[in-house]
Amino acid sequence: MIEFTLADLRTLFGLMLPIAGMIYTWVATRQKDVETRFADINRRFGEGSERMDRLDSRLSRTEQTVQGLPSRNDIHAIELHMERQAGSLARMEAVIEGTSKVMERLETIVTRHEDHLLKKGNS
């Protein structure tokens, strides 16, 4: 079994403390460097954050518009409704055509009656 003496623990702690300090410094500096780079980019290329906000706003509006559009199922339901309407119109057209033929025959009969009555009145 490994035994640690007080001197060994001090030496280990003496090594770990500078290593922990280096890691902390690296992380903190890295974060500061990222913020500095963003600030440089904003200065160099204009206000990037405002541009990103506008882009985000446009994207949100587009998403809302797309959500309001009819879905594939809605379009299919409309197509089915229109097919039913076309069938109903075809049946109505057949009925109207039959009624029209009956009216033509009635007009012919009425015309014959008028002609007959007008010829009798002239004779």
Side-chain angles (χ1 to χ4, degrees):
M1 180 182 255
I2 301 174
E3 292 184 25
F4 288 105
T5 63
L6 189 55
D8 292 335
L9 289 177
R10 273 190 281 173
T11 306
L12 184 62
F13 185 70
L15 282 174
M16 295 304 280
L17 187 62
I19 291 173
M22 286 175 21
I23 292 172
Y24 172 77
T25 304
W26 181 73
V27 169
T29 305
R30 184 176 168 101
Q31 181 64 29
K32 190 169 65 171
D33 288 343
V34 169
E35 291 173 6
T36 305
R37 282 195 317 212
F38 272 145
D40 289 343
I41 288 172
N42 281 340
R43 270 185 259 119
R44 199 173 325 147
F45 296 109
E47 292 301 318
S49 60
E50 287 180 18
R51 188 170 162 202
M52 288 299 289
D53 289 342
R54 287 193 311 264
L55 183 61
D56 187 44
S57 173
R58 286 177 56 198
L59 180 62
S60 296
R61 287 193 311 261
T62 303
E63 286 174 343
Q64 288 175 351
T65 302
V66 168
Q67 286 176 351
L69 293 176
S71 69
R72 183 177 178 185
N73 293 334
D74 295 334
I75 298 295
H76 183 65
I78 291 170
E79 288 174 346
L80 291 176
H81 246 337
M82 291 189 69
E83 285 296 321
R84 288 186 199 126
Q85 291 294 327
S88 296
L89 287 175
R91 287 192 303 273
M92 288 173 61
E93 184 180 355
V95 170
I96 291 172
E97 186 178 325
T99 305
S100 177
K101 288 181 181 179
V102 169
M103 290 300 292
E104 285 177 17
R105 284 184 284 204
L106 285 173
E107 286 175 359
T108 303
I109 292 170
V110 170
T111 303
R112 284 183 187 166
H113 284 285
E114 286 177 346
D115 288 345
H116 175 71
L117 291 173
L118 285 174
K119 286 181 185 177
K120 262 194 168 185
N122 287 339
S123 343

